[in-house]
Amino acid sequence: MVALTDRIQGRLKELGKSARRASIDGGLTPDAIRNVLRSKSRNPRRDTLEGIARGLDWTLEALLELQSGNGSSRANPVHDVPLISWVAAGELTESNDPYAVGGAEDFIPVSYNRDTLIALRVQGSSMNRVAPEGSTIIVDFNDRTLSPGQYYVVKHDGDATFKRFRTEPARLEPDSTDSYDTIFITGEIEVVGHVIQVTRKLT
């Protein structure tokens, strides 16, 4: 059985992330994953495991499968996710079927075996540190609970937009090398879904 620490290190290398960045992306303290890798935290709590999974762009289920030696998410059956337009994403509601809304432009193969995923092609440079223009984001339509430090597609002024959620104060931030305005949340925000993966090249 491959150790959890080896799997985490392999995933960090695959994503090109540091342990610190993955910890922060997962909503954990900056040293959380480093402590697991150094065996300072031998039996991580469930909330820590959930944060590690988020920071590594994995589901908790995938992380637990890794821990029990059942293989990585890449070993799971390939699932085709519909690539839809931003206009169609902005029309999604909880009652919509994400696989029927607006018609798919294409289908993107991913290793997540869920029927609540959509794909969107990134436009513009407001999130170019994590998702350059032309890359594709995979969004879990079923996950609408905002967690600090995580990335979401939300509706703002009637349109769908991709941003990072932060608290104190609650806001949606760009993650860009260019200058873009932060959206401060003063009322209820409509969440389309949680961004769980960025695919830089699809073909």
Side-chain angles (χ1 to χ4, degrees), residues 114-165:
R114 304 184 217 170
D115 60 2
T116 57
L117 303 180
I118 56 173
L120 294 166
R121 187 91 67 197
V122 174
Q123 300 172 354
S125 61
S126 69
M127 298 297 288
N128 67 9
R129 283 197 177 108
V130 292
E133 185 170 15
S135 60
T136 298
I137 53 175
I138 306 300
V139 182
D140 188 342
F141 176 82
N142 196 46
D143 184 353
R144 296 172 184 234
T145 303
L146 293 171
S147 295
Q150 295 297 299
Y151 296 89
Y152 296 89
V153 173
V154 300
K155 295 182 189 177
H156 178 66
D157 291 338
D159 296 322
T161 185
F162 171 34
K163 295 290 182 285
R164 188 175 197 175
F165 176 65

Side-chain angles (χ1 to χ4, degrees), residues 82-90 92 98 101-106 118-121:
L83 176 67
I84 66 173
S85 71
W86 285 90
V87 171
L92 287 172
V101 63
E105 299 173 3
D106 199 354
I118 56 173
L120 294 166
R121 187 91 67 197

Side-chain angles (χ1 to χ4, degrees), residues 96-116:
N96 285 140
D97 177 355
Y99 286 72
V101 63
E105 299 173 3
D106 199 354
F107 287 88
I108 309 303
V110 298
S111 56
Y112 296 97
N113 191 16
R114 304 184 217 170
D115 60 2
T116 57

